[in-house]
Amino acid sequence: MERANLDWENLTFQYVKTDYHLEYYFKDGQWSDAKIVESDKIELSIAATALHYGQECFEGLKAFEQKDGTISIFRPDENAKRMINSAKKILMEPFPEEKFLEAVNEVVRLNRRFIPPYGSGASLYIRPLLLGTSGIVGVKPSHEYLFLVFVTPVGPYFKGGLKPIDLLVIEDIDRAAPFGTGDVKVGGNYAAGLRASKKAKDLGYNEVLYLDARHKKYIDESGPANFFGITKDNKYVTPKSSSILPSITNKSLQVIAKDMGMTVEQRPVDVEEIFDFKEAGCCGTAAVISPVKSITYRDRKVTYLEDDEVGDVCHNLYNHLRGIQLGTIEDKYGWNFKVPMD
Ligand code: PLP
Ligand code: COI
């Protein structure tokens, strides 16, 4: 197999078309087998519920070439389960976990020449997507669905990789309501957040940091990632909230932090606590760990890192997580799912 001719070390988080994606159709009460498709276009009813009423959800996970040359996907079972929760919350037909695991293996195998080489710093991003496809003009759940999964090779989400980022607390735009859909991965949440991210970027910050919509007191999360702070006595503190996405990266970091001897607290985090942390980070599949350089809240700014030197705790967490994903640190929790390549 010859690898695709890409500049692996300099990939960014941008869509690159690969060779194939897979499609599965839900019709008459059952899911079809996989269809292998070369085109990256789909045909959809102009009245599809996904298009008008946002009846769609998606996932994001990564495959890595490990040091020994094998390919593994990081915790795909967790993404499968989260996608089932997302589907149920907006009354879509969930895509079964077993089929999800087959699908992610198959799409990686089919596009093996796009898997970034070990050591390049890049990975193969896997994007499963579920769409309501019935043409219904009334506001009702679809009875037909399309599940598709494609891959695209990616580098760091934020420019500069491990380069620390500046966050802006924005209070006049909400991403999600306490009993809304913030805890699932549906497209509407991201549409709701576009203005806040744009506002932060226009003002020279990398991303927004949201507070809870009801009290404007507790930290929720950033636009594309969860948030954590490290206290001066070395606790890993991360928000508990009904309106944030339960991040699989965050869940993994909590285990790693405990293994590193840290105390982990998942609880409402008062925004005032940012002034007491010694380090902070954003975490997610795309973001991995993006160390936070500063947070601006109203007329106050806290700066954790004077230059772009990453703090020790974020550095250790990052190295440990990446080490497991790349097969250089023992995967003692069985997080890596090997892709059978033949
Ligand atoms: N929060 C939001 C809003 C996200 O889009 C993501 C990305 O998936 C995350 C958090 C991080 O979740 P995970 O670590 O499962 O990728
Ligand atoms: C991911 O981290 O996988 C995400 O889906 C975040 C997205 C906004 C790129």
Side-chain angles (χ1 to χ4, degrees):
M1 184 262 329
E2 204 164 308
R3 250 186 250 270
N5 183 21
L6 292 170
D7 183 5
W8 303 106
E9 273 82 17
N10 293 307
L11 287 177
T12 58
F13 201 85
Q14 262 173 18
Y15 175 65
V16 173
K17 185 189 179 302
T18 56
D19 289 336
Y20 305 101
H21 75 270
L22 296 176
E23 296 185 2
Y24 299 74
Y25 310 91
F26 184 82
K27 217 179 161 181
D28 302 326
Q30 61 182 34
W31 282 104
S32 73
D33 289 334
K35 180 175 165 198
I36 301 174
V37 184
E38 266 184 81
S39 162
D40 65 348
K41 310 279 186 293
I42 54 171
E43 193 166 283
L44 213 51
S45 163
I46 56 174
T49 61
L51 297 178
H52 297 257
Y53 306 123
Q55 220 200 1
E56 70 94 25
C57 61
F58 65 100
E59 269 304 325
L61 60 166
K62 278 177 174 171
F64 299 88
E65 181 172 285
Q66 300 211 327
K67 199 172 180 192
D68 63 5
T70 59
I71 308 301
S72 71
I73 305 179
F74 191 68
R75 307 190 78 173
D77 53 333
E78 291 287 332
N79 294 88
K81 291 186 176 82
R82 190 169 67 188
M83 195 172 202
I84 290 171
N85 286 341
S86 299
K88 285 183 177 164
K89 192 146 191 182
I90 55 170
L91 304 186
M92 302 177 82
E93 180 64 31
F95 192 67
E97 179 173 342
E98 246 168 67
K99 264 182 125 65
F100 182 104
L101 296 175
E102 273 167 33
V104 292
N105 277 344
E106 180 67 3
V107 76
V108 169
R109 250 194 314 265
L110 286 168
N111 294 290
R112 64 178 71 187
R113 67 191 192 92
F114 289 93
I115 303 170
Y118 171 78
S120 62
S123 55
L124 190 69
Y125 187 70
I126 307 170
R127 177 51 71 87
L129 176 69
L130 179 63
L131 303 170
T133 52
S134 300
I136 305 175
V137 174
V139 183
K140 278 191 291 233
S142 180
H143 40 262
E144 291 168 347
Y145 292 89
L146 165 62
F147 171 87
L148 66 85
V149 56
F150 68 86
V151 293
T152 192
V154 296
Y157 187 75
F158 290 107
K159 256 194 228 129
L162 245 193
K163 191 165 175 279
I165 57 172
D166 296 301
L167 298 178
L168 174 66
V169 176
I170 290 181
E171 295 174 90
D172 59 354
I173 302 172
D174 292 323
R175 169 187 171 273
F179 297 105
T181 56
D183 60 340
V184 292
K185 206 163 170 63
V186 300
N189 294 340
Y190 297 81
L194 285 173
R195 263 183 320 139
S197 283
K198 180 174 185 321
K199 181 172 170 180
K201 287 172 191 166
D202 286 350
L203 291 169
Y205 301 89
N206 297 90
E207 257 301 342
V208 47
L209 183 62
Y210 291 106
L211 301 186
D212 76 287
R214 191 203 303 254
H215 305 100
K216 297 281 164 179
K217 179 174 165 61
Y218 302 103
I219 298 177
D220 256 2
E221 63 178 331
S222 179
N226 273 186
F227 175 86
F228 64 86
I230 308 295
T231 60
K232 296 202 173 85
D233 59 354
N234 237 21
K235 285 187 187 133
Y236 179 104
V237 177
T238 192
K240 186 179 173 75
S241 160
S242 65
S243 49
I244 64 180
L245 192 74
S247 154
I248 296 156
T249 313
N250 192 352
K251 189 170 166 180
S252 310
L253 289 176
Q254 291 176 41
V255 173
I256 293 171
K258 275 188 201 147
D259 282 353
M260 282 167 43
M262 299 172 72
T263 301
V264 171
E265 291 180 359
Q266 189 172 26
R267 56 165 173 79
V269 180
D270 192 309
V271 61
E272 289 294 331
E273 293 184 50
I274 62 174
F275 298 101
D276 298 325
F277 292 142
K278 66 170 180 183
E279 287 183 40
C282 288
C283 62
T285 298
V288 194
I289 292 181
S290 294
V292 174
K293 181 171 183 171
S294 74
I295 305 175
T296 300
Y297 172 50
R298 299 187 181 164
D299 55 355
R300 291 187 290 161
K301 178 175 182 172
V302 54
T303 300
Y304 302 110
L305 309 165
E306 283 308 333
D307 43 34
D308 283 344
E309 191 87 348
V310 179
D312 286 346
V313 179
C314 281
H315 216 170
N316 286 341
L317 289 168
Y318 180 94
N319 286 342
H320 205 104
L321 176 67
R322 263 296 181 260
I324 294 173
Q325 292 172 332
L326 297 176
T328 57
I329 291 182
E330 188 198 349
D331 174 24
K332 62 179 181 181
Y333 299 104
W335 289 342
N336 292 324
F337 282 47
K338 287 244 177 287
V339 181
M341 291 310 277
D342 305 318

